[in-house]
Amino acid sequence: MYSSKISICFIISMMLLNVFYIQGQAKCDDLTRSNCDAFPLSRLLLPNQQNAQLIEFEFDNISEYQAGKTYYGSTLLRLIVSDTANNDCIWKLKMHITNGGAPLPTQEWETIATYGSSGAKPQLDLIQVRVTNSCQSSPLNGSWQTFAAVDNADITIIDNAFPTPAGTLYGCSGGETNGEGSYLTNPGEFSFSIDYRIIPGLTKTPGKYEMAIKFCITE
Amino acid sequence: MKNFIKGSMVAAAMLMGASSFAQIADENNVTVTMELVPVLQLNMNTTDQISFVFDEIPEYIGGITKYGATILTVSSTVNWDLFASGTSGVHNANPLNRQWDFVVGYGPSTAVTTGVGSREVLPLTALELRQFPSTTVNNGATPTQAAYYNTAFSAALGTAGTWPNNIYVTSGVSPYTPSTDVNDPYIAGGAGLVNYVDGGTYLTQTGSVGNTNYYFVIDYRIVPGLPAIFPKAGTTVGTDASHTLGATGAAFSTNAAVGIAGAYARPGVYTMNVKYLLIENQ
């Protein structure tokens, strides 16, 4: 009698666990384990856009078209990851680009408004991103990256197959850290600054365009 | 028994919470918008007033040429066309009057509007342009534009039969209206969608001198002739084949019946305006 009720509770909890699992897959994909607790935090530091998750590039003179615009540190990712048990938490961090999907052409930005017809529609590989942190824990650290010009293309920030624990307090492990830790104790490994840059050139169709970048942390 | 059940429920609830936390998966989104405002920049870093003073007989006969009086530089984010449009106050007021503004007359002669005598009505097409580079500036895949200011000025003596260098003057429409006729001169690009120059800027041109699509040097010439009938004036616009004061062709102005033997330009000061118009290809 007692044991049967306990079994029922287990079944319910497992069903709930499955629901969370599916939701996670829909957002960030490739979830296979559950050894970590994570509290990823993100906020934007763009002047006048504090906490607004919108970055606006406006090009209205020739030099901007030619030289492009760069927003430094517009997104600051801060992570807190704790191990559930066994000290076997390994996480990965990716960013995905999306234009909202069909019926848009898979390689183009979503068009909000057009101001003319000449030139070519901008493609998703137009935007460049750069990831940095003080420990240089990402293999991409400090170099500009472009997404493939296709909806849902991704760039991996951290994807280390081997467990690499965090360094000492406020220190760096010297590798691609992917274990438990916190930006509070290891800011150089658990926080990432994202820069954005667009260089339109002079042959794009004038207009207003939009797309989104998703930052995903998974095990 | 009840306590055991309650305890089991609490434990299950805790397990449920632990299970949901345990799965590490989260995302944050940044929306990026990009606004590409069309920019067309035409810079003229030379004087904006050009004076032609005819006070010698050879100048009347041979005309005066102002070499490189205007330098135009282009920067554009869209496909573009560039054309010059001759106009004046009276032309702006009534686009059918394709004539210079008369400012002041010299001498005792009294202007007439018909018959033999001096006229205060000079054709805007008396102004001739020549552009550098003299190559055709058109990036259209199958360009059809036929007329540019890229031919040498004709000999000063004699009445012209063609007018490849005469400034474009609208007939009956605003001077800001680009021509849709490929036989009307453009500086770059041309009439219709098939004639255009790609977006770009003179700032990054690395081609040899004379091989740029974004840098233009303009020469000007006026030949009054002797008598001063402006023998080079004329246009392909509309049906007015000739604008010379001494011709018998159709009038270029509704203000005066011009084009008759014995007519000539009254000495004085006249002004006109050249608009350089950089427009998105259309």
Side-chain angles (χ1 to χ4, degrees), chain A residues 66-67 75 90 99 103 123 129 137 160 189:
Chain A
Q66 282 287 96
T75 300
I90 299 177
N99 62 3
Q123 300 203 342
V129 294
S137 61
N160 185 1
E189 297 173 314

Side-chain angles (χ1 to χ4, degrees), chain A residues 121-215:
Chain A
K121 291 285 184 68
Q123 300 203 342
L124 292 175
D125 58 1
L126 187 63
I127 191 167
Q128 301 176 47
V129 294
R130 182 169 60 185
V131 179
T132 54
N133 61 13
S134 61
C135 288
Q136 304 179 2
S137 61
S138 171
L140 308 179
N141 187 82
S143 61
W144 288 105
Q145 307 291 320
T146 54
F147 293 90
V150 58
D151 182 39
N152 210 35
D154 63 67
I155 291 175
T156 300
I157 300 173
I158 295 289
D159 188 11
N160 185 1
F162 303 100
T164 303
T168 57
L169 185 64
Y170 302 119
C172 303
S173 69
E176 192 177 345
T177 303
N178 60 358
E180 68 172 328
S182 165
Y183 75 95
L184 296 171
T185 54
N186 291 84
E189 297 173 314
F190 289 84
S191 63
F192 298 87
S193 176
I194 314 294
D195 306 334
Y196 300 90
R197 182 169 74 182
I198 291 178
I199 306 175
L202 296 172
T203 57
K204 297 291 185 294
T205 305
K208 190 166 188 175
Y209 304 92
E210 190 172 277
M211 59 86 176
I213 295 177
K214 296 180 177 182
F215 292 91

